[in-house]
Amino acid sequence: MLTQMNIRGLLFDPYSNAYIVILRDEQNSDVLPIWVGKSEANAISFALENVTPPRPMTHDLMKSILDNVGAKILSAVVSDLNNNTYYAKIHLWYGDSEYAIDSRPSDAIALALRAEAPIFTNEEVLHKQNSEELERWLENLTPEDFGKFET
Amino acid sequence: MSVEQNTDLIPLKVHGVLSDRKTDTQIVILRDQINAHVLPIWVGKTEGDSIRLALDDGVPARPTSHDLITSLLTHLGMTISHVVVTEVQNNTYYAAIHLSANGLERTIDARPSDAIALALRVKCPMYVVQDVLKRRNGDGGEAWLTQFDPKEFDEPDA
């Protein structure tokens, strides 16, 4: 069972010096935070803000190749979560067949946004995320973090 | 006329990738086969890292965006026949990726960094249009390269 996810924001995490893409389902009952690198965050933010860079960025090139040969991007699916690593698939239509190609979620999302294709995840990932996320959150807390909440 | 017979195109290889500490960018050093010409192209950090990985035949923990493009091409039965650095305008280099898909030839506009990162992965030839090299050599490419310590080629992330 797939759940459609929308991008609710892109945050900077100063602790890991990485960016976090926040995906939320339509009812806003589930949240999927996905850590991505700086250049992938850039690629996602350009698409979110409809910025056309003067030269094609890597994901623009990816879309341009697919457009040139008549391949259609159907969807991006965040398909698995293992040891804090998310996995995704890009679903394509080319010729008369459907293809599902393994990808990092950041690439799949950056590409789906450019093609205005929907982003999905499944219940298993949402369920795993709820348990793994709390664990990681607790592990990463340091005494200094607690200090911040004192007023 | 085949690519090799086209005298306007000069084959290139990647000599190395340098880090430019002043600008947080990287420089891909392209040279022709007889090392008569050198073409330095400034690229972003991600693209530079991706090119270096391909040069070293390294396998990243997660596939890079260029690995994904290579995978897309393989799945859809497409091949890159060659890439060409086609033009330089106001210090911006332009490249073209020549793609074959089901007998059809397509030429796709790309940044040289993406074109090189892909060419190294699919092991296809890289060329530069002779005119681009001529214009570059006006800047004294060879003299420019000597300012770099050869050791820097091996310590890009320092």
Side-chain angles (χ1 to χ4, degrees):
Chain A
M1 170 79 186
L2 293 177
T3 306
Q4 186 165 351
M5 306 298 279
N6 298 317
I7 296 188
R8 297 312 302 251
L10 195 56
L11 303 173
F12 180 65
D13 176 4
Y15 293 102
S16 57
N17 200 28
Y19 291 79
I20 311 169
V21 179
I22 308 293
L23 297 178
R24 256 154 93 160
D25 73 345
E26 314 256 75
Q27 290 82 38
N28 289 337
S29 59
D30 287 304
V31 175
L32 214 54
I34 300 182
W35 270 250
V36 301
K38 188 184 174 197
S39 72
E40 291 77 17
N42 251 330
I44 291 170
S45 97
F46 272 25
L48 284 175
E49 289 160 24
N50 278 321
V51 174
T52 308
R55 297 293 295 140
M57 305 301 284
T58 305
H59 296 91
D60 300 316
L61 170 64
M62 219 179 273
K63 177 157 189 298
S64 164
I65 289 175
L66 294 171
D67 285 348
N68 258 281
V69 300
K72 187 175 162 30
I73 299 152
L74 300 174
S75 63
V77 179
V78 180
S79 52
D80 203 1
L81 169 61
N82 258 317
N83 300 320
N84 290 328
T85 303
Y86 285 96
Y87 296 85
K89 283 183 195 295
I90 296 166
H91 291 257
L92 296 171
W93 187 261
Y94 177 60
D96 50 7
S97 315
E98 190 180 330
Y99 296 82
I101 292 158
D102 290 331
S103 160
R104 292 180 298 180
S106 54
D107 285 327
I109 291 167
L111 192 57
L113 285 173
R114 281 166 175 72
E116 294 176 8
I119 299 164
F120 297 101
T121 190
N122 58 44
E123 282 175 1
E124 202 191 333
V125 170
L126 288 174
H127 179 74
K128 277 195 195 169
Q129 192 276 326
N130 283 332
S131 45
E132 285 201 21
E133 185 55 27
L134 183 62
E135 241 172 77
R136 176 165 56 172
W137 186 257
L138 291 173
E139 272 172 20
N140 284 347
L141 286 181
T142 62
E144 289 77 28
D145 289 326
F146 289 104
K148 282 193 196 126
F149 298 103
E150 290 169 7
T151 47
Chain B
M1 188 161 74
S2 80
V3 174
E4 286 73 17
Q5 287 166 321
N6 188 337
T7 48
D8 284 331
L9 294 182
I10 296 170
L12 284 179
K13 58 189 176 184
V14 179
H15 185 71
V17 183
L18 298 170
S19 289
D20 182 346
R21 293 175 181 85
K22 278 175 254 168
T23 57
D24 192 31
T25 53
Q26 307 206 17
I27 310 164
V28 179
I29 311 294
L30 300 168
R31 296 181 93 145
D32 67 353
Q33 312 286 3
I34 51 167
N35 288 336
H37 301 284
V38 59
L39 186 66
I41 295 184
W42 268 252
V43 304
K45 183 176 185 309
T46 310
E47 290 79 12
D49 286 345
S50 176
I51 289 170
R52 193 176 296 111
L53 258 171
L55 275 179
D56 299 342
D57 281 320
V59 179
R62 302 289 326 259
T64 65
S65 300
H66 297 111
D67 294 322
L68 172 61
I69 297 181
T70 309
S71 164
L72 286 168
L73 295 173
T74 308
H75 276 88
L76 304 185
M78 301 170 199
T79 52
I80 297 175
S81 59
H82 61 283
V83 305
V84 183
V85 179
T86 52
E87 210 183 324
V88 54
Q89 271 182 20
N90 302 322
N91 290 324
T92 302
Y93 286 90
Y94 293 75
I97 294 171
H98 291 254
L99 199 70
S100 309
N102 291 331
L104 293 172
E105 303 290 325
R106 297 271 189 268
T107 304
I108 293 162
D109 174 39
R111 294 176 300 170
S113 55
D114 285 328
I116 294 163
L118 289 173
L120 289 172
R121 282 171 172 79
V122 303
K123 303 192 194 307
C124 76
M126 286 174 250
Y127 301 93
V128 60
V129 172
Q130 196 163 30
D131 186 51
V132 172
L133 264 193
K134 273 190 200 147
R135 289 161 76 175
R136 166 66 216 168
N137 278 354
D139 306 345
E142 193 62 39
W144 176 89
L145 187 63
T146 58
Q147 71 179 292
F148 285 94
D149 185 333
K151 276 186 299 197
E152 287 186 56
F153 283 98
D154 298 317
E155 301 172 54
D157 289 319

